[in-house]
Amino acid sequence: MTLSSSFEISAEGLTAQASRIKIHANNIANVNTPYYVRKIPVLAENYQMSFEDIIGNMRKGIINAGVSYGPGGAVMAGIVADPTPGKRIYEPGHPQADKDGYVTLSNVNPMTDMADAMSSSRLYEANLAVVGIVKNMANKALEIGRGN
């Protein structure tokens, strides 16, 4: 693994965790919005194959279409809606009430989203620390190359 691929993997991690934090913050902001459906971020592994793996598969007659050949790491794969139903309350005078007078509240649990946001924040900090460590390694390698 090269230093540049270490930077790329950490950058992917930073981007993925920043996206997760935004989604959780949006969920928390909409906790009191009727009919709001909580969104759940989905992360996936950025699958990586070496050139040797690709050639070996080609010799076996296996062609890997759609596979990323870049660095590994985690990427945002998408967002799914939380299937948990929101609580329905009877409020016939509410402007968003249905024909029966019920309003469906948001299905956001602020404690869950706060915990997930804190976890994302810690992972963001860990990826940032990796960037710092790799930067220090690169600087030390340059010092060795200069003969200091």
Side-chain angles (χ1 to χ4, degrees):
M1 177 181 286
T2 64
L3 290 176
S4 66
S5 64
S6 298
F7 277 123
E8 290 174 24
I9 291 169
S10 293
E12 285 180 357
L14 288 167
T15 302
Q17 296 310 321
S19 297
R20 283 184 65 202
I21 291 169
K22 287 178 190 175
I23 292 166
H24 294 305
N26 190 43
N27 286 341
I28 293 167
N30 286 292
V31 72
N32 293 321
T33 304
Y35 299 100
Y36 179 80
V37 178
R38 177 178 180 257
K39 292 163 184 59
I40 303 169
V42 179
L43 296 180
E45 174 187 3
N46 185 5
Y47 182 68
Q48 159 184 325
M49 289 185 74
S50 69
F51 185 71
E52 181 180 348
D53 293 336
I54 296 165
I55 297 299
N57 284 346
M58 290 175 80
R59 287 186 179 141
K60 295 176 192 170
I62 302 168
I63 305 298
N64 298 92
V67 175
S68 170
Y69 303 111
V75 294
M76 265 305 273
I79 301 169
V80 296
D82 186 347
T84 307
K87 183 178 175 183
R88 288 176 41 104
I89 58 169
Y90 184 69
E91 271 192 57
H94 194 282
Q96 292 178 315
D98 62 12
K99 62 182 169 85
D100 298 325
Y102 284 92
V103 176
T104 302
L105 301 178
S106 167
N107 65 348
V108 174
N109 179 342
M111 297 302 283
T112 301
D113 274 292
M114 186 60 79
D116 287 346
M118 288 173 60
S119 169
S120 299
S121 176
R122 298 280 191 270
L123 290 167
Y124 186 91
E125 290 171 3
N127 279 292
L128 205 54
V130 170
V131 170
I133 291 167
V134 173
K135 181 180 148 190
N136 287 339
M137 287 173 54
N139 284 335
K140 293 292 182 188
L142 287 172
E143 287 177 17
I144 291 170
R146 283 189 224 132
N148 292 337

